Amino acid sequence: MSSAAVPRPDTAAIQQTYPDGRVALAQGVVLDDPRFANADLEPVPVERRTWNTYNYVALWVGMAHCIPSWTLASGLVALGMDWKQAVLTIGLANVIVLLPMLLTGHAGTKYGIPFPVFARASFGLRGANLPALIRAAVACCWFGIQTWIGGEGIYLLAGKLFGHGWLNASTVQGTPWTQWLSFLVFWLIEVAVITRGMQTLRRFENWAAPLVIVGALALLGFMAAKAGGFGPLLSQPSALGWGAGFWKVFFPSLMGMIGFWSTLSLNIPDFTRFGGSQRSQLYGQALGLPTTMTLFAVLSVLVTSGAEAVYKTPIWDPIQLAAKMSNVVGALFALLIVMVATLSVNIAANVVSPAYDLSNLLPKYVNFRTGALITGVVGVLIMPWKLIANPHVYIFTWLGVVGGLLGTVAGILIADYWFVRRTSLHLAELYRRDGRYWYTGGWNLRALVALLVGGLLAIGGSYSTVSQGPFPAGGVIPFLKPLADYGWAVGLASSFVLYAALSLGQRGQESRS
């Protein structure tokens, strides 16, 4: 049935716009279709949208201060950059990815809706499951990786307490059984926190963020005292220079660094839906993301430089660095901070989104808590210990492909919300089969075409630079290989332009109807 043929009720009767621009369902409106609504997917009432600027700053501090963030600079230095080039690349990437993050986050604060419901406007009520499941799959992989890292922290922390027997226990599939046990313990801690809901998450992030900063600065102070200053790594010249050799490495590296947070550029409405105002989410994210990631990169370089002076080798992994400390109390404190940081980022970045995404797939049977538990199980089944076995493939092939695909989805969301609809959505119809977002059997064919074409351009030329990589050296589709190094930008730009062009006839209709 065409949406144009369906009589539409007066918008003012079903939703209410507040003086600050935020929108909520009108009193008495009930979303009663269990195929598309449940308590976790429904718009957050305005009185419960209470997150302020500090909450968003704390969220980003908690998410950015994780081990993969810490080791991003090491991957770039390993490619031949000096520390200044590595920090520049990371800082610029996070300024760039902040823009789509703010654009998609606007919808969450204005309407109180999570990412999969927001995606219904552009993809259709059923079609939204496609980008939601893409995002959920990526998050499950990241959840498993971070849980394995957190388990390693527990393993080494316990090793400081129990000694040689714990660290050198009998192995299962080449790994000490004690490390498998540590992995399980960390997994159970995460599940215990997330099943208590979003408000518990907010409180956890509020106290975890400053603790992580204090811990990182303490680690810096400790290494500076031991090393007598920072020198070796800071004075290391770039192997690439600033000529053609640098730029050849810079652009794919930039896309990889953007890919690191391209996940959140989609599902940031999952958090901004609790925003007390647009200013809170805008200022909080602008203060929290680029500054935190850039300073964290500088911190990782400084600490690694100190480690090289003390231990005669650069140690980029803070878990391994903490384990080398002879001072047991200092080592225990450092490892505790690492675990809190990992717990903080994993719950916020990699559980919240798939919990909502899976709930969107089957709202009648899957709520937020059930979705979180499914994420936890899938995160183990993907065997994260194998996913991160090859750092080159993990950082560059993995992040590059993920970034290209998610950038394509972001381009469609932004084009639909800002260019076509001019930020005007009809809340109740996002949850009803007879509404304007039903399109063709629940799918918006324009979005599917833009996703297919944009995704093909973004990742069709993916290639590997190592012999055991997942893609052929000449690219999956050879003539698209030159685009692969710019996957995120290509995906976002091409899908935005194509979707906008296909939707010219609908532009502005939302705000007039």
Side-chain angles (χ1 to χ4, degrees):
M1 180 184 294
S2 169
S3 60
V6 178
R8 293 184 177 130
D10 180 15
T11 300
I14 57 178
Q15 67 185 41
Q16 179 179 358
T17 302
Y18 288 76
D20 63 0
R22 291 183 296 170
V23 178
L25 290 174
Q27 189 172 4
V29 174
V30 177
L31 304 176
D32 54 4
D33 190 336
R35 295 169 298 178
F36 303 111
N38 63 24
D40 295 308
L41 296 176
E42 292 174 3
V44 176
V46 167
E47 61 270 17
R48 286 177 44 213
R49 301 183 203 175
T50 57
W51 286 35
N52 57 32
T53 298
Y54 175 76
N55 294 138
Y56 287 107
V57 172
L59 177 73
W60 274 113
V61 170
M63 289 197 296
H65 287 178
C66 61
I67 292 173
S69 295
W70 184 280
T71 56
L72 283 179
S74 65
L76 299 180
V77 172
L79 288 180
M81 293 187 186
D82 63 19
W83 73 272
K84 296 184 292 296
Q85 292 171 330
V87 170
L88 170 66
T89 304
I90 292 170
L92 180 59
N94 285 282
V95 169
I96 292 172
V97 81
L98 176 66
L99 181 58
M101 199 128 4
L102 295 176
L103 292 176
T104 54
H106 184 279
T109 300
K110 183 173 181 178
Y111 295 100
I113 53 177
F115 158 63
V117 174
F118 174 45
R120 292 174 183 178
S122 50
F123 283 86
L125 268 73
R126 286 177 173 165
N129 287 313
L130 180 58
L133 290 178
I134 291 172
R135 173 64 183 96
V138 173
C140 288
C141 291
W142 274 119
F143 176 83
I145 291 170
Q146 294 276 13
T147 303
W148 183 255
I149 290 171
E152 184 184 11
I154 291 181
Y155 168 70
L156 294 173
L157 176 64
K160 284 291 182 181
L161 298 173
F162 303 134
H164 181 81
W166 176 272
L167 295 175
N168 295 278
S170 57
T171 62
V172 177
Q173 293 191 339
T175 300
W177 69 264
T178 48
Q179 187 164 353
W180 291 113
L181 177 62
S182 301
F183 175 59
L184 175 61
V185 169
F186 194 79
W187 184 89
L188 289 172
I189 293 172
E190 291 175 317
V191 170
V193 173
I194 196 61
T195 52
R196 297 181 66 87
M198 286 294 291
Q199 293 307 315
T200 299
L201 171 64
R202 181 183 67 164
R203 289 192 292 269
F204 177 77
E205 295 291 347
N206 284 347
W207 70 261
L211 180 63
V212 169
I213 293 175
V214 169
L217 292 174
L219 185 60
L220 175 63
F222 172 81
M223 292 311 304
K226 292 281 288 184
F230 298 103
L233 202 140
L234 297 182
S235 59
Q236 179 102 13
S238 170
L240 303 172
W242 287 95
F246 168 73
W247 298 110
K248 184 178 180 179
V249 172
F250 170 76
F251 286 108
S253 299
L254 182 69
M255 293 301 110
M257 297 305 102
I258 290 173
F260 189 79
W261 287 124
S262 62
T263 50
L264 268 293
S265 69
L266 294 187
N267 76 283
I268 196 64
D270 294 341
F271 301 98
T272 59
R273 67 190 300 224
F274 299 98
S277 67
Q278 292 291 357
R279 176 176 293 186
S280 294
Q281 71 96 4
L282 192 153
Y283 286 180
Q285 293 203 79
L287 290 172
L289 172 59
T291 54
T292 297
M293 284 293 292
T294 304
L295 291 174
F296 209 48
V298 172
L299 193 61
S300 70
V301 169
L302 292 174
V303 172
T304 304
S305 174
E308 185 170 37
V310 174
Y311 301 111
K312 309 307 178 187
T313 182
I315 303 172
W316 287 94
D317 186 341
I319 289 180
Q320 298 296 334
L321 182 59
K324 278 186 168 292
M325 292 182 181
S326 56
N327 184 306
V328 176
V329 175
L332 293 178
F333 173 74
L335 286 168
L336 177 64
I337 294 299
V338 166
M339 286 188 295
V340 169
T342 304
L343 184 65
S344 176
V345 67
N346 213 18
I347 291 174
N350 302 319
V351 176
V352 172
S353 174
Y356 284 128
D357 297 338
L358 294 168
S359 180
N360 187 70
L361 183 64
L362 294 168
K364 185 176 180 179
Y365 303 103
V366 181
N367 59 17
F368 180 86
R369 180 175 299 179
T370 307
L373 292 174
I374 294 172
T375 301
V377 172
V378 174
V380 175
L381 295 178
I382 56 100
M383 295 185 288
W385 48 92
K386 292 187 176 181
L387 191 59
I388 60 175
N390 187 329
H392 191 103
V393 172
Y394 158 62
I395 292 177
F396 298 102
T397 302
W398 162 250
L399 289 182
V401 170
V402 165
L405 197 56
L406 298 182
T408 303
V409 175
I412 295 169
L413 296 178
I414 294 169
D416 182 79
Y417 182 66
W418 288 94
F419 179 80
V420 178
R421 305 189 188 282
R422 300 177 184 177
T423 76
S424 176
L425 298 177
H426 295 258
L427 267 179
E429 296 188 33
L430 289 167
Y431 300 86
R432 292 175 178 167
R433 179 173 175 151
D434 60 355
R436 69 192 69 212
Y437 308 116
W438 185 245
Y439 297 108
T440 305
W443 295 79
N444 183 359
L445 301 183
R446 297 190 304 274
L448 294 182
V449 170
L451 180 64
L452 178 63
V453 174
L456 186 65
L457 293 174
I459 66 174
S462 297
Y463 64 95
S464 296
T465 57
V466 292
S467 58
Q468 296 181 340
F471 303 120
V476 177
I477 303 175
F479 76 90
L480 292 178
K481 181 180 177 180
L483 299 179
D485 289 344
Y486 313 93
W488 180 84
V490 168
L492 188 144
S494 59
S495 64
F496 180 99
V497 170
L498 181 55
Y499 184 86
L502 292 173
S503 305
L504 282 175
Q506 284 74 39
R507 190 184 183 208
Q509 287 184 7
E510 290 288 300
S511 58
R512 296 193 299 268
S513 61

